[in-house]
Amino acid sequence: MPSGVTPFADDAVLRCEGLHRSLGQGEGQVHVLRGVSFAARRGEVYAMVGPSGCGKSTLLYLLGLLDVPDRGEIWIDGQLMPRDDDAARTAARGRHLGFVFQFHFLLLEFSALENVMLPMRKLGRWSLSEMQDRAHSLLTSVGLGAKTHRLGNQLSGGEQQRVAIARALANQPSILLADEPTGNLDVRNSAMVFDLLTGLARQNGQAIVVVTHNPELAARCDHTLPMRDGQFVT
Amino acid sequence: MVMSLACITLGVGLFVVTQATTTGFERFFIKTIVGTNGAIRIEDRIQETLRTMEAERGNDASGFVVEVKEGRKYIQGIQDPALLIEAVRRFANVAGTSEVLYGAAEIRSSFKNEAARVYGIQLDDHLQVSDLARQIVRGYLADFRQTPAGTLVGIKLAERLQLEVGDSFQLQVGGEVRRYRVSAIFETGIGDIDKDRVFLHLGEARSLLRRPTGASFIQVNVIDRDRATQDAAHMEAVLGHSASSWQERERTWLDVFRALRLSTSITVSVFTLIAGIAMYNTLALVVMEKTKDIAILRSMGYTRRDVTRIFLWQAAMVLAVGALLGCGLGAAVTYGVSLMKIRIRGIFTADHFIVAWSGWHYLSAVAISVVMVMAASLIPARRAARLEPGDVIRGTAQ
Ligand SMILES: Nc1ncnc2c1ncn2[C@@H]1O[C@H](COP(=O)(O)OP(=O)(O)O)[C@@H](O)[C@H]1O
Ligand SMILES: [Mg+2]
């Protein structure tokens, strides 16, 4: 694939082409991703489904620029992501990407508000009071308006996950990646978190890729991407 | 963190204290010697005999000229002190000059006889080149000034001869014996001087020593003490007399002080070193505990440099608190030490610890701790920055 030439001339905000990734060393090396290509448009929700160990998380880390593919390219907003320019990749993470991890991953010594403000502080687009207002309204929209000053370790699992969603949305990313965001939650909570995520993203015209094991939730998405053995199956 | 904080505090504090005491004593020593023997002493005329050799222009060697110092003759004493003083006073840094004539004598009191060194001075000139006024411990300079047969006697010599202010004694040079009166007793603190020196009026010394003209040396005071060596070298070249600065004359002792100051500061810096090691350990541990948080921050757009900065910032906070406490500790202990009694005689006279208060001690103590601790913090902080977010997150969640 010649770099710089977009394979599809459409409005895809996130695109990847021919991604390969092997993990592990020597004997234990596993060819996890075996040529994944895919594109996501603004305002649409994509559910990635598949058995455990098929490579969903691995793909999401590549798309989130947290890891580098062995082969293949990623474009964000039509821009080819360089594979060895850490500064450019880091900047793109802050500007374009929001990530919700399988495990909430809050900074537990910080309050909910501070956790949500962290990405904004780095981006530097808003003043301190704007950041506080924004963090407050994001936490309100995930139903935590009354607990903004609780520390991370004073929140329940579901609450922490909702703070993580607010945090992922903080910089108004064009792409939201969520790795089993409801994996550790009960049915009621997972439905709520899922609706929140998709609702907010649709409102803001963000592309969402969400990994889930729950077929019911997957059915509510615009697209389903079934994966098996490191490839999308159709 | 507590360990490194404690070590920073101790390191900075003790560094300040040792510097304050060593420089305190050193400065006091310098004050004593400059106040007694002057910043520069000019004596002995130099006669240099130079011979110029031209190396032979051979076939293979290029010709060159060699100046050989055949010898340097020192002619004792100063023949025309007035002329020399006039020349010395032209040096910009010179604050005062005093011509001094000295010679050996025997001193006799009703109690016993001792060997003494007689120093003839013009009092007002000599007061400009020494701390003599402040070195008087008994009696009055005014009495000396008014009494032609008045003398100033070193305290040890006075004790040995059991002389008190107002007592009279005899000085003998050759066959000549004269009677003098103790106008005042002085203590320079330098044992060798206090045990045999007697100041007379210059005219009196001339007739006692039978030296109607000339001087033994000229004692010079300067405005900027630290330039004394350059000035002395310059004087020597211009005036044709040997001139020695206080730094040259007291090199041995000054070197002792310098070595002492250096060795104590090295010893005390061990604390700062331990502080650095403790900081390294703590931060390395924190980095291991916080890999997840580091990965999260990196995933949000924080750069490697940001991560480094976060850890260095932690170290800097501990450092700042430690340095502040250390400076406080240093100042408190320095003050405490300055009240401590200690009896020193010989090279100078002190009855309590002498300390020097200088911002430089605090600055250098803090600078050393900053360098040590920040250097030690840099390694774990950079290790934190090198973490790949993907590796960390994969390790935590499948
Ligand atoms: N460090 C590793 N070394 C070797 N294999 C690994 C390593 N990390 C993950 N894998 C393998 O990669 C595959 C894909 O993992 P992952 O992307 O987490 O799957 P999923 O998220 O779909 O459950 C799994 O089979 C897993 O065993
Ligand atoms: Mg997974």
mmCIF file of all heavy atoms in Angstrom, chain B residues 287-320:
data_model
loop_
_atom_site.group_PDB
_atom_site.id
_atom_site.type_symbol
_atom_site.label_atom_id
_atom_site.label_comp_id
_atom_site.label_asym_id
_atom_site.label_seq_id
_atom_site.Cartn_x
_atom_site.Cartn_y
_atom_site.Cartn_z
ATOM 1 N N VAL B 287 8.312 4.419 40.538
ATOM 2 C CA VAL B 287 8.110 4.206 39.102
ATOM 3 C C VAL B 287 7.528 2.821 38.855
ATOM 4 O O VAL B 287 6.612 2.652 38.052
ATOM 5 C CB VAL B 287 9.437 4.388 38.331
ATOM 6 C CG1 VAL B 287 9.312 3.891 36.896
ATOM 7 C CG2 VAL B 287 9.851 5.846 38.344
ATOM 8 N N MET B 288 8.038 1.815 39.606
ATOM 9 C CA MET B 288 7.506 0.462 39.428
ATOM 10 C C MET B 288 6.050 0.374 39.851
ATOM 11 O O MET B 288 5.238 -0.265 39.192
ATOM 12 C CB MET B 288 8.355 -0.528 40.224
ATOM 13 C CG MET B 288 9.605 -0.863 39.463
ATOM 14 S SD MET B 288 10.530 -2.293 39.995
ATOM 15 C CE MET B 288 10.145 -2.584 41.664
ATOM 16 N N GLU B 289 5.732 1.064 40.938
ATOM 17 C CA GLU B 289 4.339 1.031 41.408
ATOM 18 C C GLU B 289 3.409 1.780 40.470
ATOM 19 O O GLU B 289 2.219 1.492 40.405
ATOM 20 C CB GLU B 289 4.240 1.692 42.796
ATOM 21 C CG GLU B 289 4.679 0.796 43.922
ATOM 22 C CD GLU B 289 4.823 1.570 45.221
ATOM 23 O OE1 GLU B 289 4.437 2.766 45.238
ATOM 24 O OE2 GLU B 289 5.318 0.995 46.191
ATOM 25 N N LYS B 290 3.951 2.755 39.790
ATOM 26 C CA LYS B 290 3.093 3.672 39.039
ATOM 27 C C LYS B 290 3.139 3.440 37.535
ATOM 28 O O LYS B 290 2.747 4.324 36.779
ATOM 29 C CB LYS B 290 3.518 5.121 39.327
ATOM 30 C CG LYS B 290 3.315 5.550 40.766
ATOM 31 C CD LYS B 290 1.857 5.802 41.068
ATOM 32 C CE LYS B 290 1.669 6.179 42.521
ATOM 33 N NZ LYS B 290 0.275 6.121 42.941
ATOM 34 N N THR B 291 3.622 2.281 37.102
ATOM 35 C CA THR B 291 3.704 2.069 35.655
ATOM 36 C C THR B 291 2.333 2.256 35.004
ATOM 37 O O THR B 291 2.229 2.821 33.925
ATOM 38 C CB THR B 291 4.201 0.653 35.322
ATOM 39 O OG1 THR B 291 3.421 -0.271 36.052
ATOM 40 C CG2 THR B 291 5.664 0.492 35.657
ATOM 41 N N LYS B 292 1.292 1.784 35.688
ATOM 42 C CA LYS B 292 -0.066 1.883 35.138
ATOM 43 C C LYS B 292 -0.442 3.341 34.941
ATOM 44 O O LYS B 292 -0.929 3.732 33.874
ATOM 45 C CB LYS B 292 -1.035 1.251 36.144
ATOM 46 C CG LYS B 292 -1.893 0.172 35.561
ATOM 47 C CD LYS B 292 -2.700 -0.529 36.641
ATOM 48 C CE LYS B 292 -3.753 0.369 37.243
ATOM 49 N NZ LYS B 292 -4.683 -0.354 38.141
ATOM 50 N N ASP B 293 -0.200 4.146 35.995
ATOM 51 C CA ASP B 293 -0.537 5.568 35.913
ATOM 52 C C ASP B 293 0.259 6.249 34.809
ATOM 53 O O ASP B 293 -0.261 7.119 34.100
ATOM 54 C CB ASP B 293 -0.261 6.267 37.250
ATOM 55 C CG ASP B 293 -1.233 5.815 38.330
ATOM 56 O OD1 ASP B 293 -2.032 4.892 38.035
ATOM 57 O OD2 ASP B 293 -1.204 6.370 39.438
ATOM 58 N N ILE B 294 1.527 5.830 34.676
ATOM 59 C CA ILE B 294 2.355 6.422 33.622
ATOM 60 C C ILE B 294 1.747 6.111 32.260
ATOM 61 O O ILE B 294 1.620 6.983 31.396
ATOM 62 C CB ILE B 294 3.798 5.881 33.706
ATOM 63 C CG1 ILE B 294 4.461 6.352 35.009
ATOM 64 C CG2 ILE B 294 4.620 6.329 32.510
ATOM 65 C CD1 ILE B 294 5.723 5.592 35.363
ATOM 66 N N ALA B 295 1.328 4.840 32.078
ATOM 67 C CA ALA B 295 0.741 4.442 30.803
ATOM 68 C C ALA B 295 -0.544 5.223 30.526
ATOM 69 O O ALA B 295 -0.804 5.632 29.394
ATOM 70 C CB ALA B 295 0.454 2.943 30.804
ATOM 71 N N ILE B 296 -1.344 5.441 31.562
ATOM 72 C CA ILE B 296 -2.583 6.212 31.375
ATOM 73 C C ILE B 296 -2.258 7.628 30.925
ATOM 74 O O ILE B 296 -2.837 8.136 29.962
ATOM 75 C CB ILE B 296 -3.393 6.277 32.685
ATOM 76 C CG1 ILE B 296 -3.871 4.881 33.084
ATOM 77 C CG2 ILE B 296 -4.591 7.191 32.518
ATOM 78 C CD1 ILE B 296 -4.436 4.846 34.475
ATOM 79 N N LEU B 297 -1.305 8.235 31.614
ATOM 80 C CA LEU B 297 -0.939 9.609 31.254
ATOM 81 C C LEU B 297 -0.433 9.667 29.815
ATOM 82 O O LEU B 297 -0.798 10.555 29.053
ATOM 83 C CB LEU B 297 0.142 10.145 32.209
ATOM 84 C CG LEU B 297 -0.357 10.459 33.621
ATOM 85 C CD1 LEU B 297 0.813 10.834 34.522
ATOM 86 C CD2 LEU B 297 -1.377 11.589 33.592
ATOM 87 N N ARG B 298 0.372 8.669 29.457
ATOM 88 C CA ARG B 298 0.896 8.649 28.088
ATOM 89 C C ARG B 298 -0.245 8.473 27.095
ATOM 90 O O ARG B 298 -0.226 9.061 26.019
ATOM 91 C CB ARG B 298 1.912 7.519 27.941
ATOM 92 C CG ARG B 298 3.142 7.672 28.803
ATOM 93 C CD ARG B 298 4.210 8.552 28.182
ATOM 94 N NE ARG B 298 4.890 7.900 27.079
ATOM 95 C CZ ARG B 298 5.010 8.408 25.867
ATOM 96 N NH1 ARG B 298 4.470 9.570 25.601
ATOM 97 N NH2 ARG B 298 5.644 7.768 24.918
ATOM 98 N N SER B 299 -1.258 7.660 27.458
ATOM 99 C CA SER B 299 -2.371 7.427 26.544
ATOM 100 C C SER B 299 -3.196 8.692 26.335
ATOM 101 O O SER B 299 -3.886 8.835 25.343
ATOM 102 C CB SER B 299 -3.261 6.298 27.064
ATOM 103 O OG SER B 299 -4.136 6.791 28.060
ATOM 104 N N MET B 300 -3.134 9.609 27.288
ATOM 105 C CA MET B 300 -3.911 10.842 27.177
ATOM 106 C C MET B 300 -3.162 11.929 26.435
ATOM 107 O O MET B 300 -3.663 13.033 26.300
ATOM 108 C CB MET B 300 -4.162 11.420 28.564
ATOM 109 C CG MET B 300 -5.102 10.679 29.400
ATOM 110 S SD MET B 300 -5.164 11.691 30.870
ATOM 111 C CE MET B 300 -5.324 10.477 32.077
ATOM 112 N N GLY B 301 -1.923 11.665 26.049
ATOM 113 C CA GLY B 301 -1.186 12.681 25.300
ATOM 114 C C GLY B 301 -0.029 13.293 26.066
ATOM 115 O O GLY B 301 0.614 14.210 25.573
ATOM 116 N N TYR B 302 0.229 12.796 27.279
ATOM 117 C CA TYR B 302 1.402 13.291 28.007
ATOM 118 C C TYR B 302 2.660 12.705 27.378
ATOM 119 O O TYR B 302 2.708 11.513 27.079
ATOM 120 C CB TYR B 302 1.315 12.930 29.491
ATOM 121 C CG TYR B 302 0.355 13.813 30.245
ATOM 122 C CD1 TYR B 302 -1.012 13.551 30.229
ATOM 123 C CD2 TYR B 302 0.798 14.925 30.940
ATOM 124 C CE1 TYR B 302 -1.909 14.375 30.878
ATOM 125 C CE2 TYR B 302 -0.087 15.759 31.604
ATOM 126 C CZ TYR B 302 -1.440 15.481 31.577
ATOM 127 O OH TYR B 302 -2.316 16.304 32.215
ATOM 128 N N THR B 303 3.658 13.573 27.167
ATOM 129 C CA THR B 303 4.864 13.131 26.469
ATOM 130 C C THR B 303 5.830 12.465 27.440
ATOM 131 O O THR B 303 5.640 12.514 28.654
ATOM 132 C CB THR B 303 5.579 14.335 25.835
ATOM 133 O OG1 THR B 303 5.964 15.233 26.892
ATOM 134 C CG2 THR B 303 4.676 15.060 24.870
ATOM 135 N N ARG B 304 6.853 11.857 26.862
ATOM 136 C CA ARG B 304 7.892 11.253 27.690
ATOM 137 C C ARG B 304 8.501 12.306 28.611
ATOM 138 O O ARG B 304 8.782 12.059 29.768
ATOM 139 C CB ARG B 304 9.008 10.697 26.797
ATOM 140 C CG ARG B 304 8.579 9.480 26.003
ATOM 141 C CD ARG B 304 9.771 8.882 25.271
ATOM 142 N NE ARG B 304 9.359 8.010 24.188
ATOM 143 C CZ ARG B 304 8.982 6.748 24.359
ATOM 144 N NH1 ARG B 304 8.971 6.213 25.556
ATOM 145 N NH2 ARG B 304 8.628 6.015 23.325
ATOM 146 N N ARG B 305 8.682 13.494 28.050
ATOM 147 C CA ARG B 305 9.294 14.563 28.845
ATOM 148 C C ARG B 305 8.397 14.934 30.029
ATOM 149 O O ARG B 305 8.875 15.199 31.120
ATOM 150 C CB ARG B 305 9.532 15.781 27.964
ATOM 151 C CG ARG B 305 10.365 16.829 28.653
ATOM 152 C CD ARG B 305 10.673 17.968 27.736
ATOM 153 N NE ARG B 305 11.514 17.537 26.624
ATOM 154 C CZ ARG B 305 12.080 18.384 25.775
ATOM 155 N NH1 ARG B 305 11.888 19.677 25.910
ATOM 156 N NH2 ARG B 305 12.842 17.946 24.800
ATOM 157 N N ASP B 306 7.073 14.936 29.794
ATOM 158 C CA ASP B 306 6.148 15.232 30.897
ATOM 159 C C ASP B 306 6.322 14.230 32.027
ATOM 160 O O ASP B 306 6.327 14.583 33.201
ATOM 161 C CB ASP B 306 4.697 15.173 30.413
ATOM 162 C CG ASP B 306 4.386 16.277 29.416
ATOM 163 O OD1 ASP B 306 4.976 17.361 29.552
ATOM 164 O OD2 ASP B 306 3.572 16.043 28.511
ATOM 165 N N VAL B 307 6.460 12.959 31.639
ATOM 166 C CA VAL B 307 6.590 11.902 32.646
ATOM 167 C C VAL B 307 7.879 12.113 33.449
ATOM 168 O O VAL B 307 7.878 12.077 34.678
ATOM 169 C CB VAL B 307 6.573 10.512 31.979
ATOM 170 C CG1 VAL B 307 6.893 9.426 32.993
ATOM 171 C CG2 VAL B 307 5.218 10.264 31.323
ATOM 172 N N THR B 308 8.974 12.371 32.723
ATOM 173 C CA THR B 308 10.244 12.650 33.409
ATOM 174 C C THR B 308 10.060 13.792 34.393
ATOM 175 O O THR B 308 10.486 13.731 35.540
ATOM 176 C CB THR B 308 11.331 13.046 32.387
ATOM 177 O OG1 THR B 308 11.373 12.065 31.373
ATOM 178 C CG2 THR B 308 12.690 13.159 33.045
ATOM 179 N N ARG B 309 9.381 14.825 33.901
ATOM 180 C CA ARG B 309 9.220 16.021 34.711
ATOM 181 C C ARG B 309 8.415 15.739 35.983
ATOM 182 O O ARG B 309 8.731 16.253 37.053
ATOM 183 C CB ARG B 309 8.505 17.087 33.881
ATOM 184 C CG ARG B 309 9.010 18.471 34.167
ATOM 185 C CD ARG B 309 8.349 19.463 33.235
ATOM 186 N NE ARG B 309 8.955 19.479 31.915
ATOM 187 C CZ ARG B 309 8.313 19.865 30.812
ATOM 188 N NH1 ARG B 309 7.048 20.228 30.873
ATOM 189 N NH2 ARG B 309 8.937 19.891 29.663
ATOM 190 N N ILE B 310 7.396 14.901 35.871
ATOM 191 C CA ILE B 310 6.573 14.591 37.046
ATOM 192 C C ILE B 310 7.432 13.979 38.152
ATOM 193 O O ILE B 310 7.344 14.378 39.311
ATOM 194 C CB ILE B 310 5.418 13.638 36.659
ATOM 195 C CG1 ILE B 310 4.382 14.402 35.836
ATOM 196 C CG2 ILE B 310 4.779 13.028 37.905
ATOM 197 C CD1 ILE B 310 3.378 13.522 35.135
ATOM 198 N N PHE B 311 8.307 13.049 37.765
ATOM 199 C CA PHE B 311 9.120 12.391 38.790
ATOM 200 C C PHE B 311 10.211 13.319 39.316
ATOM 201 O O PHE B 311 10.500 13.342 40.503
ATOM 202 C CB PHE B 311 9.701 11.082 38.248
ATOM 203 C CG PHE B 311 8.664 10.010 38.156
ATOM 204 C CD1 PHE B 311 7.968 9.788 36.983
ATOM 205 C CD2 PHE B 311 8.333 9.263 39.278
ATOM 206 C CE1 PHE B 311 6.978 8.830 36.914
ATOM 207 C CE2 PHE B 311 7.344 8.296 39.220
ATOM 208 C CZ PHE B 311 6.663 8.086 38.037
ATOM 209 N N LEU B 312 10.794 14.101 38.407
ATOM 210 C CA LEU B 312 11.811 15.047 38.863
ATOM 211 C C LEU B 312 11.178 16.087 39.782
ATOM 212 O O LEU B 312 11.793 16.550 40.736
ATOM 213 C CB LEU B 312 12.473 15.736 37.670
ATOM 214 C CG LEU B 312 13.389 14.856 36.838
ATOM 215 C CD1 LEU B 312 14.072 15.677 35.764
ATOM 216 C CD2 LEU B 312 14.439 14.171 37.703
ATOM 217 N N TRP B 313 9.941 16.428 39.489
ATOM 218 C CA TRP B 313 9.232 17.410 40.304
ATOM 219 C C TRP B 313 9.089 16.901 41.736
ATOM 220 O O TRP B 313 9.308 17.624 42.691
ATOM 221 C CB TRP B 313 7.875 17.694 39.670
ATOM 222 C CG TRP B 313 7.104 18.778 40.339
ATOM 223 C CD1 TRP B 313 5.903 18.659 40.965
ATOM 224 C CD2 TRP B 313 7.474 20.165 40.450
ATOM 225 N NE1 TRP B 313 5.508 19.878 41.451
ATOM 226 C CE2 TRP B 313 6.444 20.807 41.156
ATOM 227 C CE3 TRP B 313 8.580 20.899 40.023
ATOM 228 C CZ2 TRP B 313 6.492 22.172 41.452
ATOM 229 C CZ3 TRP B 313 8.631 22.254 40.311
ATOM 230 C CH2 TRP B 313 7.600 22.873 41.016
ATOM 231 N N GLN B 314 8.735 15.623 41.848
ATOM 232 C CA GLN B 314 8.627 15.026 43.190
ATOM 233 C C GLN B 314 9.953 15.134 43.925
ATOM 234 O O GLN B 314 10.006 15.530 45.092
ATOM 235 C CB GLN B 314 8.251 13.549 43.083
ATOM 236 C CG GLN B 314 6.813 13.336 42.687
ATOM 237 C CD GLN B 314 6.427 11.876 42.806
ATOM 238 O OE1 GLN B 314 7.064 11.121 43.528
ATOM 239 N NE2 GLN B 314 5.381 11.493 42.106
ATOM 240 N N ALA B 315 11.024 14.766 43.210
ATOM 241 C CA ALA B 315 12.349 14.838 43.825
ATOM 242 C C ALA B 315 12.657 16.282 44.206
ATOM 243 O O ALA B 315 13.191 16.555 45.289
ATOM 244 C CB ALA B 315 13.409 14.308 42.864
ATOM 245 N N ALA B 316 12.291 17.203 43.327
ATOM 246 C CA ALA B 316 12.597 18.616 43.576
ATOM 247 C C ALA B 316 11.858 19.134 44.810
ATOM 248 O O ALA B 316 12.408 19.926 45.585
ATOM 249 C CB ALA B 316 12.232 19.452 42.352
ATOM 250 N N MET B 317 10.618 18.660 45.000
ATOM 251 C CA MET B 317 9.860 19.095 46.174
ATOM 252 C C MET B 317 10.553 18.638 47.457
ATOM 253 O O MET B 317 10.746 19.417 48.389
ATOM 254 C CB MET B 317 8.447 18.502 46.159
ATOM 255 C CG MET B 317 7.630 18.906 44.968
ATOM 256 S SD MET B 317 7.121 20.611 45.081
ATOM 257 C CE MET B 317 5.587 20.372 45.926
ATOM 258 N N VAL B 318 10.919 17.351 47.471
ATOM 259 C CA VAL B 318 11.621 16.813 48.642
ATOM 260 C C VAL B 318 12.928 17.578 48.851
ATOM 261 O O VAL B 318 13.279 17.972 49.965
ATOM 262 C CB VAL B 318 11.909 15.307 48.459
ATOM 263 C CG1 VAL B 318 12.733 14.775 49.615
ATOM 264 C CG2 VAL B 318 10.606 14.544 48.340
ATOM 265 N N LEU B 319 13.598 17.824 47.733
ATOM 266 C CA LEU B 319 14.868 18.544 47.782
ATOM 267 C C LEU B 319 14.667 19.945 48.362
ATOM 268 O O LEU B 319 15.432 20.385 49.225
ATOM 269 C CB LEU B 319 15.427 18.631 46.370
ATOM 270 C CG LEU B 319 16.841 19.156 46.206
ATOM 271 C CD1 LEU B 319 17.812 18.273 46.949
ATOM 272 C CD2 LEU B 319 17.203 19.200 44.740
ATOM 273 N N ALA B 320 13.627 20.621 47.899
ATOM 274 C CA ALA B 320 13.390 21.994 48.350
ATOM 275 C C ALA B 320 13.132 22.014 49.857
ATOM 276 O O ALA B 320 13.729 22.812 50.592
ATOM 277 C CB ALA B 320 12.205 22.593 47.600
#
